[in-house]
Amino acid sequence: MHIVMTGGTSGFGQEAARRMAAAGHSLTIGARGRGADNATTRFVRLDLEDLASIDAFAEAVRRGAPVDALVLNAGLQLAAPERMANGIEKTFFVNHLAHVRLLHRLLGDLAPGTRVVLTGSGTHDPAEKTPVTPPDHADARRLAYPDTDPTLPRAPRKQAFRAYSSSKLACIMIARHLARLRPDLSVMAFDPGYVPWTGLGRANHPIIAALVSIILPRTMARDRSSTVPLSGGFLADLATAPVYAEERGTYWSVRKPNLVAIEPSTLARDDAAAAKLWEDSLALLGLA
Ligand SMILES: NC(=O)c1ccc[n+]([C@@H]2O[C@H](COP(=O)([O-])OP(=O)(O)OC[C@H]3O[C@@H](n4cnc5c(N)ncnc54)[C@H](OP(=O)(O)O)[C@@H]3O)[C@@H](O)[C@H]2O)c1
């Protein structure tokens, strides 16, 4: 298979890429820093903070070999709120809007049967009671411009956390919406559980990030704490294993040592809100 991937340069995404390449698949990885191309893997420049870079990456993919699986795994988590030069909140832009743009650019070229995997997170679901402030809504305009959002938490750290959980909610809703828009594709969302020792905590001081990686797995439900090999293996399976060839927006979540299909949060199951999220996101990107 030919797998096109974001977020394949670090954390469990890098592990998934390594496994898929070792299994004989060919990969095109969108990367900010250039990796070293080899017989199975090609690195193409992609900065998800930059619309021109996203469009150029999409064009390179469209000119290349047909895509069998599109794995949208890149993501960031900030310690304090940040805005892009265009004024849009950065977490929502990189984790959600940038991937919507990429999807929009590539959709017309994806043949029936192509898999699309979007990495979400259990933090999207208030019922999971994670340490990350949960979402209050999936209104794209208010998430893009939080200063216009009356529900914005006061504390900057909570604002950053909620931006993260909301962006992951958006990824799960887009998976469900895409499955309705293109029932010929195999679409799924992935919750890797909590995976310590990845780059996700890099916005924090390294000592804080290390402490979180050590302490959190000891304080949370044992089956929700994962590892790079376990979640990387599951992500590779979703993209390539025959058993996941006909998914219609399923939410796959790690319950160590298993990967289980579960219902996402109540907000995530609001199909009308997901359709609006897609349309509003395209409008924010100037594509509607
Ligand atoms: N770790 C967890 O507990 C956990 C839990 C739930 C969900 N997730 C999600 O899982 C995914 C992978 O996270 P991880 O924990 O493996 O973290 P990670 O090690 O920090 O990996 C993040 C990946 O996203 C890429 N990325 C970030 N910003 C980018 C940009 N502007 N342009 C292009 N690529 C960009 C990074 O590229 P560089 O190598 O260039 O930085 C890296 O490949 C993320 O979507 C995250 O939200 C993680």
Side-chain angles (χ1 to χ4, degrees):
M1 291 174 70
H2 174 220
I3 295 104
V4 172
M5 185 169 184
T6 71
T9 52
S10 171
F12 66 84
Q14 186 177 34
E15 171 68 7
R18 190 190 65 72
R19 286 179 185 230
M20 292 189 284
H25 301 292
S26 69
L27 277 86
T28 300
I29 296 181
R32 284 187 282 196
R34 229 186 126 65
D37 290 0
N38 57 44
T40 55
T41 307
R42 183 171 70 118
F43 291 87
V44 176
R45 166 96 194 143
L46 171 64
D47 183 352
L48 293 164
E49 291 183 32
D50 177 358
L51 287 178
S53 173
I54 298 166
D55 290 351
F57 177 75
E59 195 48 41
V61 169
R62 293 176 69 225
R63 281 199 311 266
V67 178
D68 298 304
L70 183 59
V71 178
L72 303 179
N73 178 63
L76 59 78
Q77 187 172 30
L78 300 174
E82 282 182 45
R83 305 284 184 267
M84 310 273 299
N86 59 15
I88 294 182
E89 195 283 319
K90 189 169 168 180
T91 316
F92 188 66
F93 190 92
V94 170
N95 296 4
H96 165 69
L97 286 177
H99 284 126
V100 167
R101 180 140 187 141
L102 191 52
L103 266 174
H104 186 264
R105 291 278 188 251
L106 293 178
L107 265 187
D109 291 84
L110 299 183
T114 306
R115 298 185 197 196
V116 181
V117 187
L118 290 106
T119 299
S121 164
T123 59
H124 90 278
D125 188 351
E128 290 238 13
K129 298 195 180 347
T130 76
V132 176
T133 312
D136 292 299
H137 60 78
D139 182 322
R141 290 177 198 280
R142 284 195 273 149
L143 293 171
Y145 299 105
D147 298 336
T148 67
D149 187 350
T151 68
L152 189 68
R154 281 215 168 165
R157 190 162 184 88
K158 284 192 171 180
Q159 292 178 11
F161 272 0
R162 197 188 71 155
Y164 177 77
S165 63
S166 306
S167 74
K168 294 284 128 179
L169 167 67
C171 292
I172 295 162
M173 292 173 80
I174 290 303
R176 290 168 63 93
H177 183 65
L178 184 60
R180 284 187 294 277
L181 213 60
R182 285 285 305 268
D184 59 318
L185 303 177
S186 179
V187 188
M188 54 213 113
F190 175 51
D191 159 32
Y194 173 63
V195 191
W197 306 113
T198 70
L200 199 65
R202 69 182 91 175
N204 296 299
H205 188 282
I207 293 177
I208 302 286
L211 282 175
V212 171
S213 284
I214 292 166
I215 293 168
L216 201 51
R218 292 164 199 262
T219 59
M220 61 192 294
R222 289 180 87 90
D223 66 344
R224 298 293 286 129
S225 169
S226 186
T227 62
V228 165
L230 188 69
S231 290
F234 284 143
L235 183 57
D237 287 349
L238 289 175
T240 59
V243 68
Y244 301 111
E246 290 187 21
E247 301 293 323
R248 298 288 173 265
T250 327
Y251 177 54
W252 286 99
S253 179
V254 171
R255 293 291 182 280
K256 198 170 63 187
N258 301 311
L259 183 65
V260 297
I262 61 169
E263 288 290 346
S265 71
T266 312
L267 267 177
R269 282 179 275 136
D270 184 336
D271 295 346
K276 185 171 181 336
L277 172 68
W278 175 256
E279 292 304 329
D280 287 350
S281 298
L282 292 181
L284 283 164
L285 289 163
L287 298 171

